[in-house]
Amino acid sequence: MSAQQPLAPDEPVHFSPRYLAASPPDLHRQHLVAFAQDHAWPVAVYPYVVSATSPCERITIRHSRAEEGRGPHLTITARTGHGAPERWRADVAGATPVEFLASLTETVARGLEADADHLIYGIAGGTEPDMIELHVDERWELADGLGLVGMQSVDGLAAMMGRPPGSDGPLLQGDEDIVWHIFAVTPELGPLWGISFTQEAPPFVVNAVLNDTLSPEPLVRPAALAQHPDLAHLVTTRRIRPPSDRSPRSGPGLPPRTPGSAQQPHTR
């Protein structure tokens, strides 16, 4: 099952705030199976575990149902080769938007195909590794203190925090290897989702998740997909009109239609 199904004309859709568009862990499992099939990665499917490994055996993506609700249930591990120690790791927990997971896995797959050394070692053509990029607007503010640094949404529901090497600040997720943690928390559900990266994770992989989290664009999904009842008040439903539907709205008592106007949404 792909992260985003094609939308049919005139189909009702949900608009969700990007970092609050929760996806159940079972959808993460479905995405992993579809990803492995699309990229011809060997995949092992067991009752509680799905594991996909790149043909070069450098990247392993593992989903464990036993860990759902207890900690990271999907882990991406990079190694220099089969049986080698872990080089870096990305952990996915909670109801992470499956679109974020898709960006992460596709970035890893493209990076492996384009420049495996850049992906595994952070080496890009003999130059210094690229940098973490933050493209923020007025919806985000600096969060700095206790040896941690990052950005927090002004509504207080999402943040990305970094723990510089050597910092005496609190451990992120209780793991001294983690240097970046991107997450969302809601009053109704507490921790909603989180994605963490260890120190050697290449910045362009971390940026894939940051770009999704910091983007001002909402996520659009078919309305047929169930929404968590505690997040329903954050979701707006509209119909997608086919491009050929350009019926005029001007007339007695109706103002001219302005560019960019849309059908009035109703909140569910």
Side-chain angles (χ1 to χ4, degrees):
M1 182 175 185
S2 63
Q4 181 66 66
Q5 298 293 335
L7 299 175
D10 207 32
E11 178 181 3
V13 295
H14 284 152
F15 286 75
S16 300
R18 182 164 289 269
Y19 48 77
L20 297 179
S23 297
D26 198 48
L27 192 56
H28 303 164
R29 177 185 175 96
Q30 294 177 45
H31 168 75
L32 177 55
V33 173
F35 168 84
Q37 293 173 344
D38 290 345
H39 292 273
W41 285 25
V43 60
V45 179
Y46 302 102
Y48 291 96
V49 174
V50 173
S51 181
T53 304
S54 63
C56 65
E57 299 186 328
R58 289 181 167 189
I59 302 293
T60 300
I61 308 176
R62 183 179 184 273
H63 181 284
S64 171
R65 279 183 171 169
E67 299 302 320
E68 293 176 6
R70 299 172 28 172
H73 58 259
L74 188 146
T75 300
I76 302 176
T77 305
R79 294 181 170 84
T80 57
H82 177 68
E86 176 186 292
R87 174 71 180 174
W88 60 261
R89 187 182 78 250
D91 295 331
V92 176
T96 294
V98 71
E99 293 86 353
F100 290 21
L101 176 58
S103 292
L104 180 57
T105 54
E106 288 297 328
T107 298
V108 168
R110 289 195 303 267
L112 190 62
E113 295 171 359
D115 189 341
D117 286 339
H118 189 194
L119 179 69
I120 303 299
Y121 299 101
I123 300 173
T127 63
E128 291 296 322
D130 44 2
M131 304 294 289
I132 300 295
E133 297 178 355
L134 296 177
H135 303 282
V136 298
D137 56 19
E138 67 279 358
R139 300 174 310 116
W140 296 85
E141 57 189 7
L142 182 66
D144 189 357
L146 300 177
L148 304 177
V149 62
M151 303 296 297
Q152 181 177 346
S153 61
V154 295
D155 60 15
L157 300 181
M160 58 84 60
M161 299 302 299
R163 185 177 187 269
S167 171
D168 59 358
L171 299 180
L172 295 172
Q173 299 302 96
D175 189 336
E176 64 180 4
D177 292 330
I178 292 176
V179 297
W180 292 107
H181 182 51
I182 307 165
F183 61 96
V185 178
T186 70
E188 301 90 348
L189 300 176
L192 181 61
W193 64 268
I195 300 180
S196 304
F197 298 91
T198 58
Q199 181 174 343
E200 301 298 334
F204 77 93
V205 174
V206 180
N207 286 337
V209 178
L210 285 177
N211 290 339
D212 271 329
T213 306
L214 300 174
S215 171
E217 297 296 326
L219 281 177
V220 180
R221 294 170 168 172
L225 293 179
Q227 299 291 313
H228 195 290
D230 288 331
L231 299 176
H233 67 285
L234 301 171
V235 175
T236 298
T237 303
R238 299 179 186 172
R239 287 186 179 273
I240 296 296
R241 297 299 185 189
S244 59
D245 183 11
R246 303 188 182 277
S247 56
R249 295 178 57 206
S250 299
L254 291 176
R257 184 170 187 172
T258 56
S261 64
Q263 179 183 2
Q264 181 66 31
H266 62 276
T267 303
R268 293 187 52 161

